[in-house]
Amino acid sequence: MTDTSILLRAYRLMCQTLAMADLYEANRAICKYVHSTSRGHEAIQLAAAFQLQPQDFVSPYYRDESMLQGLGFTPYEQMLQLLAKRDDIFSGGREYYSHPSYRGNDKPLIIHQSSATGMQAIPTTGIAQGIRFWEKADPARIRKGEQGEPPIVLCSMGDASVTEGEVSEAMQFAVLKQLPVIYLVQDNNWGISVSAGEARAMNAFEYVAGFKGMNRVQVDGSDFEASYEIMREVCDFVRKERKPCLVHAETPLLGHHTSGVRKDFYRSQVDWEKHAKNDPIPKLRQKLLARGVSQAELDGIEKEAALLVKNDFTRAVSAPEPDPVTVTDHVFRPAPVITEKGERSPAGAEKVLMVDAALYAIRELMEDNPEMILYGQDVGKRLGGVFREAATLAEQFGDHRVFNTAIQEAYIVGSTIGLNAVGIKPVVEVQFADYIYPGFNQLVTEISKSCYLTMGKFPVSMVLRVPIGAYGGGGPYHSGSVETTLLSVKGIKVVYPSNAADMKGLMKAAYQDGNPVVMLEHKGLYWSKVPGTEEAKTIEPSRDYIIPLGKASIVLAADASAVKNGDSCLLITYGMGVYWAKAGVKNFPGQVEIMDLRTLFPLDEELIFDRVKVHGKCLILTEEQQYNSFAEALAGRITKACFSFLDAPVEVLGALNLPAVPMNAGLEKAMLPGPEKVAERVEEMLRS
């Protein structure tokens, strides 16, 4: 039997939650931002919260306001987020209500929480993955409880989210690796206006029966005592056995889906009355009365809760608004690498292929940083990457630091968030740029926003390696360019080296940057097999060589006399474009300056604008399909910044605007820009 003091604590918090919901409803004009309440879900949420310890990790979802109170957050702290106030401890007015993020010693750690249903499953499972890593690699790195209790991870979700494919990816990994994670599914039989019968063939408990190794239990989530005992047993089991478990808790939904989608829009009176019969608050009240708690004591608790909530709301309403000048704060963690260091071409060093430069950079980083791991499809010991870009690394560092994953781009990308939360800095790989899209949801929804929406508490330090580009008949699903898609995402950095030295220097900087960095690595430059790309092979830089992100380079200078006479132009490019440009301008000696951007974001606008003003003519060369591309956007930016210095419109040369790169080598060549097309366009510009 659960101790009565625990039941009283839960009742007090339930009364607070009820008072908050009623107050929000009565003050809809003030509570103008969209929010959900936990009405109906209070019992299971508090039962879960009461089991967690400061060394643990939890990812609540957007209805988990009761869970937050059970963890120790006050109504006032929650209301500051409800009203998007300056002193909101979670996000400083940037996030929705009940979207917490927290890093402290007194409560479980809470990584960034988004509104996208089910998307927290992968990052949160990544936390458990990181705990398992340290348990094997360095147990001293794991924070434990006062009695030496190891941490556990709790991922809370609504039932509708379990139909998301990314939840399946998370659970697949959890059972494969037997991770200490609990998936708490709160099932109220609604997904906004979609009923369970419309949306699913089975509930979460039935669904996970197919995940071999997933322990599972069910509970009446409206009964606090039953929920408390189940959550105590489950948390004790996972804390001891280090194995995953799913808890399926059936709950009523007593409030609106959100303040913007009200229950009377889609729910019948019959349905509402059916749910109301399972209200957790009167259930617990009756249990307390049966335990001998007096009516007067319960009445007193209710009055105290209502008064506390009222006073906290008054304070929150009068709290200051965020200062608009802070709106751009915390997009990125400040970059530590700001100057180029080390020797780019040390005496006596040998030339290396670009693919080997990446390999050597990763090897040196792993030697110096025990918290670094590398994973992705086929990068493990057996193959070492389909381009051999990870060859020998697993043999040197072990399968726990370099390992294969399943075909799970979303998990590969999104798990890096959770790993960061436990002090692991991952480098991960997506096999081809064409296959980045399954991982794009995690990149956009979770990773890119984490630093900004948590006020810098959770920057995501990760490097995502992406082999990219077309050559040799790779065909429509192995030859694509995706830089414009990536650059449309704010909160990530994009790097695109064109030679071995830049590859090594930029890889080192990307790892040290402390932010999400996507490394686009052209497959056609890896081994310099494409005619004209021999210069991608360079002297291997020194071990300490590093290039700051956002610094372009001049790879071919124009003659001063041509510049002075107005007979020159600037050609801006990156990746394979560097070699098309070099080959294409051979018939115009001294007349063309070639700039290699190296980093597409942050962009070296200072050097770009300076050199455009010098030449007055500019051509931007890209391998991407031209229309609506990054290159066209850059052309517009240059035109605005340098308009009075231009002698002609800024030109763009890209691939033909086709939906895919065709397989046939002749058709591929016809689609892509190349030296001949570059020469033709440069000649036109110089004549203009």
Side-chain angles (χ1 to χ4, degrees):
M1 182 180 292
T2 308
D3 190 276
T4 302
S5 64
I6 295 174
L7 271 57
L8 282 169
R9 179 186 172 202
Y11 189 70
R12 183 178 298 277
L13 293 176
M14 285 187 188
C15 290
Q16 289 180 187
T17 305
L18 174 60
M20 291 161 70
D22 290 345
L23 187 146
Y24 299 164
E25 184 68 12
N27 292 272
R28 290 173 61 188
I30 297 173
C31 305
K32 58 185 178 180
Y33 301 112
V34 175
H35 58 272
S36 296
T37 74
S38 58
R39 284 294 290 121
H41 292 235
E42 299 95 335
I44 186 62
Q45 291 181 17
L46 291 170
F50 287 1
Q51 313 305 323
L52 298 178
Q53 302 176 18
Q55 76 272 19
D56 293 332
F57 302 80
V58 59
S59 287
Y61 86 115
Y62 58 79
R63 199 176 297 285
D64 280 349
E65 63 174 357
S66 287
M67 184 180 291
L68 294 179
Q69 292 199 59
L71 293 173
F73 295 103
T74 66
Y76 177 67
E77 289 172 323
Q78 293 176 276
M79 291 169 180
L80 289 174
Q81 188 172 51
L82 172 82
L83 302 175
K85 295 292 188 172
R86 181 194 69 189
D87 298 329
D88 159 29
I89 64 169
F90 304 126
S91 69
R94 290 171 164 87
E95 261 286 21
Y96 295 99
Y97 182 57
S98 199
H99 285 59
S101 59
Y102 185 77
R103 186 188 291 275
N105 294 322
D106 60 329
K107 298 179 182 71
L109 183 143
I110 308 174
I111 59 174
H112 165 247
Q113 304 301 300
S114 77
S115 292
T117 55
M119 295 306 99
Q120 74 272 35
I122 286 177
T124 309
T125 305
I127 298 174
Q129 177 188 347
I131 292 171
R132 172 68 81 226
F133 172 82
W134 287 127
E135 285 177 341
K136 294 180 179 180
D138 187 359
R141 294 286 295 264
I142 298 174
R143 182 185 173 200
K144 295 187 177 181
E146 293 181 358
Q147 305 300 319
E149 308 96 322
I152 58 174
V153 181
L154 176 68
C155 179
S156 178
M157 299 181 285
D159 57 293
S161 67
V162 180
T163 57
E164 288 277 6
E166 293 187 19
V167 174
S168 172
E169 289 194 23
M171 291 180 177
Q172 285 272 7
F173 199 92
V175 296
L176 178 67
K177 303 295 184 180
Q178 287 293 283
L179 303 179
V181 59
I182 300 164
Y183 300 102
L184 171 59
V185 179
Q186 302 174 50
D187 187 351
N188 60 34
N189 283 284
W190 284 103
I192 309 184
S193 68
V194 181
S195 67
E198 294 175 276
R200 68 191 193 201
M202 65 202 78
N203 66 31
F205 179 81
E206 296 161 335
Y207 176 66
V208 299
F211 290 87
K212 184 179 180 180
M214 180 73 78
N215 301 278
R216 59 188 181 130
V217 296
Q218 295 193 95
V219 67
D220 177 359
S222 68
D223 183 330
F224 174 77
E225 187 170 18
S227 297
Y228 182 87
E229 292 303 321
I230 284 291
M231 291 308 303
R232 181 180 59 79
E233 291 172 9
V234 168
C235 289
D236 287 349
F237 169 80
V238 176
R239 205 177 293 281
K240 179 181 178 182
E241 300 296 331
R242 321 305 287 156
K243 295 178 180 179
C245 186
L246 180 135
V247 178
H248 175 245
E250 292 188 295
T251 66
L253 178 60
L254 301 182
H256 308 291
H257 169 69
T258 67
S259 58
V261 182
R262 303 179 65 76
K263 62 189 178 187
D264 44 294
F265 293 176
Y266 63 93
R267 295 176 66 186
S268 69
Q269 184 67 24
V270 172
D271 176 76
W272 161 247
E273 291 175 353
K274 178 183 175 182
H275 279 246
K277 291 177 181 178
N278 284 315
D279 190 332
I281 299 177
K283 276 189 175 183
L284 183 54
R285 196 178 207 280
Q286 289 302 314
K287 186 162 291 190
L288 286 165
L289 289 170
R291 290 277 190 99
V293 179
S294 69
Q295 179 87 32
E297 183 175 355
L298 295 178
D299 289 345
I301 289 173
E302 293 162 13
K303 291 178 182 178
E304 289 174 8
L307 181 60
L308 171 67
V309 167
K310 180 182 178 181
N311 291 339
D312 278 5
F313 186 70
T314 300
R315 290 171 58 209
V317 169
S318 62
E321 299 288 330
D323 187 337
V325 301
T326 66
V327 69
T328 58
D329 292 352
H330 306 300
V331 176
F332 292 110
R333 176 185 179 184
V337 180
I338 57 176
T339 58
E340 186 171 353
K341 295 180 181 178
E343 293 186 70
R344 183 178 177 89
S345 301
E350 297 182 354
K351 283 190 174 183
V352 294
L353 295 167
M354 191 164 154
V355 69
D356 288 335
L359 174 66
Y360 301 156
I362 295 291
R363 176 183 297 160
E364 291 170 0
L365 285 167
M366 295 193 76
E367 288 171 346
D368 296 339
N369 300 278
E371 69 276 11
M372 177 179 172
I373 63 174
L374 171 68
Y375 59 98
Q377 297 162 29
D378 298 303
V379 303
K381 188 181 298 183
R382 194 172 295 112
L383 184 62
V386 294
F387 300 104
R388 303 295 289 160
E389 73 280 6
T392 73
L393 292 177
E395 285 90 341
Q396 180 175 352
F397 298 105
D399 293 334
H400 66 299
R401 293 188 67 190
V402 181
F403 55 90
N404 293 327
T405 67
I407 303 173
Q408 293 182 328
E409 287 85 0
Y411 189 86
I412 292 168
V413 174
S415 56
T416 63
I417 305 168
L419 289 165
N420 266 256
V422 294
I424 296 171
K425 295 181 65 174
V427 175
V428 296
E429 293 194 16
V430 169
Q431 207 160 73
F432 293 92
D434 309 77
Y435 301 142
I436 198 172
Y437 298 105
F440 207 64
N441 199 3
Q442 289 290 324
L443 193 65
V444 175
T445 305
E446 309 297 332
I447 290 176
S448 69
K449 296 176 174 61
S450 183
C451 189
Y452 183 68
L453 294 180
T454 65
M455 297 188 295
K457 293 193 295 292
F458 292 100
V460 181
S461 180
M462 60 87 79
V463 179
L464 172 57
R465 298 184 65 186
V466 183
I468 192 171
Y471 84 102
Y477 294 102
H478 298 81
S479 307
S481 292
V482 298
E483 53 263 38
T484 294
T485 303
L486 288 165
L487 290 164
S488 69
V489 183
K490 314 310 172 192
I492 65 172
K493 300 184 179 184
V494 181
V495 176
Y496 204 142
S498 67
N499 59 70
D502 287 348
M503 171 68 87
K504 187 172 184 182
L506 290 168
M507 183 71 77
K508 294 286 185 80
Y511 179 79
Q512 294 186 25
D513 195 76
N515 296 291
V517 181
V518 181
M519 291 280 296
L520 300 177
E521 306 173 15
H522 201 291
K523 307 187 306 292
L525 301 178
Y526 266 155
W527 298 289
S528 292
K529 287 184 176 180
V530 177
T533 62
E534 292 80 9
E535 291 182 3
K537 185 178 180 181
T538 70
I539 296 292
E540 183 188 0
S542 61
R543 187 184 185 94
D544 62 344
Y545 182 65
I546 196 163
I547 303 170
L549 305 188
K551 295 296 181 181
S553 68
I554 304 300
V555 296
L556 181 68
D559 291 343
S561 59
V563 175
K564 183 177 180 180
N565 295 331
D567 294 329
S568 69
C569 70
L570 175 67
L571 198 162
I572 300 173
T573 189
Y574 54 93
M576 183 63 78
V578 172
Y579 301 94
W580 290 334
K582 287 181 177 181
V585 305
K586 286 183 178 178
N587 292 330
F588 311 99
Q591 291 184 275
V592 182
E593 180 174 302
I594 300 176
M595 179 186 297
D596 181 358
L597 291 176
R598 302 197 295 193
T599 302
L600 307 186
F601 188 86
L603 191 63
D604 194 348
E605 290 187 348
E606 181 179 358
L607 183 62
I608 292 169
F609 297 158
D610 177 68
R611 301 315 296 168
V612 169
K613 292 174 182 178
V614 168
H615 293 279
K617 297 177 182 178
C618 178
L619 171 64
I620 303 171
L621 173 63
T622 178
E623 184 172 329
E624 277 197 297
Q625 292 90 329
Q626 181 174 328
Y627 286 4
N628 303 315
S629 65
F630 156 70
E632 286 197 331
L634 178 56
R637 212 178 312 173
I638 291 172
T639 299
K640 182 177 181 180
C642 307
F643 184 75
S644 61
F645 294 87
L646 293 173
D647 299 323
V650 178
E651 299 273 352
V652 177
L653 175 60
L656 300 181
N657 297 290
L658 305 175
V661 180
M663 177 74 78
N664 179 271
L667 294 177
E668 177 190 85
K669 182 178 180 182
M671 177 189 179
L672 298 176
E676 298 84 0
K677 295 178 183 179
V678 171
E680 181 180 343
R681 187 65 68 86
V682 168
E683 185 175 13
E684 292 174 0
M685 291 189 67
L686 291 174
R687 283 205 310 259
S688 65

